[in-house]
Structure formats: structure tokens, C-alpha cells
Amino acid sequence: MNLAKISANGQITVPVEIRRQLGLKSGDKILFLQNQNGEIVVSNASAAAIRKAQTAFAGAAKEMGVSSEDDIQALVDEVRYGKGR
């Protein structure tokens, strides 16, 4: 169990074990979410954003016909230099 104390300004220090588990470093943001049971869950906001983006883009590569690093490089070249695939 990890315990944190709230300061007069409403600030807390996240215990080192929790920072390690969440992959948090100085300047990172944390996200507080309430689950269906009413419990508050703390997560790494950056990791949550990445998961959300992965979900949003799921299947996009297949739809665009991208299946290799060469395909990705071709798309980058097209955007940078106007070269078609």
C-alpha cells in the first residue's frame, strides 16, 4: 500500500513505486478516471493518449495499403517531396 498526503494547496507527492509503475517522470501529467465501481484510477496521461490514438487509427494502415517500412517511407517521401508511390 502506498500513501500520499495532500498539502494545503491540494498537491500530492506520488510515491516513487507508483511513479515507476506508471513510467512517470518530472513534468509528466497524470489522469484521474472514475471507473464503473466509483473508484478513482490514476494513470499516465501520455500513455492514455497513445492508447486512444492507437484505437483511433486501428486498421488505418491496412486501409491505406501500408504493410511495410518501405510503404511508410514512400508515404513520407510523397508528403515531403511530392513523389507518388
Side-chain angles (χ1 to χ4, degrees):
M1 176 189 288
N2 288 290
L3 188 64
K5 183 177 177 182
I6 299 175
S7 74
N9 294 330
Q11 297 173 324
I12 62 170
T13 298
V14 179
V16 67
E17 297 85 12
I18 302 301
R19 292 194 313 263
R20 285 185 189 137
Q21 287 180 349
L22 293 176
L24 295 171
K25 58 188 179 308
S26 180
D28 283 352
K29 295 183 180 187
I30 56 175
L31 185 62
F32 296 89
L33 300 167
Q34 186 171 13
N35 67 19
Q36 295 172 345
N37 298 330
E39 298 169 324
I40 303 298
V41 178
V42 179
S43 70
N44 182 328
S46 297
I50 290 169
R51 284 192 300 274
K52 186 175 180 180
Q54 286 173 328
T55 300
F57 288 106
K62 186 175 182 180
E63 289 175 17
M64 294 179 67
V66 175
S67 61
S68 70
E69 288 185 33
D70 289 339
D71 291 340
I72 293 169
Q73 188 59 55
L75 286 172
V76 170
D77 290 346
E78 184 177 341
V79 170
R80 283 186 181 162
Y81 312 114
K83 296 179 182 176
R85 294 198 317 160

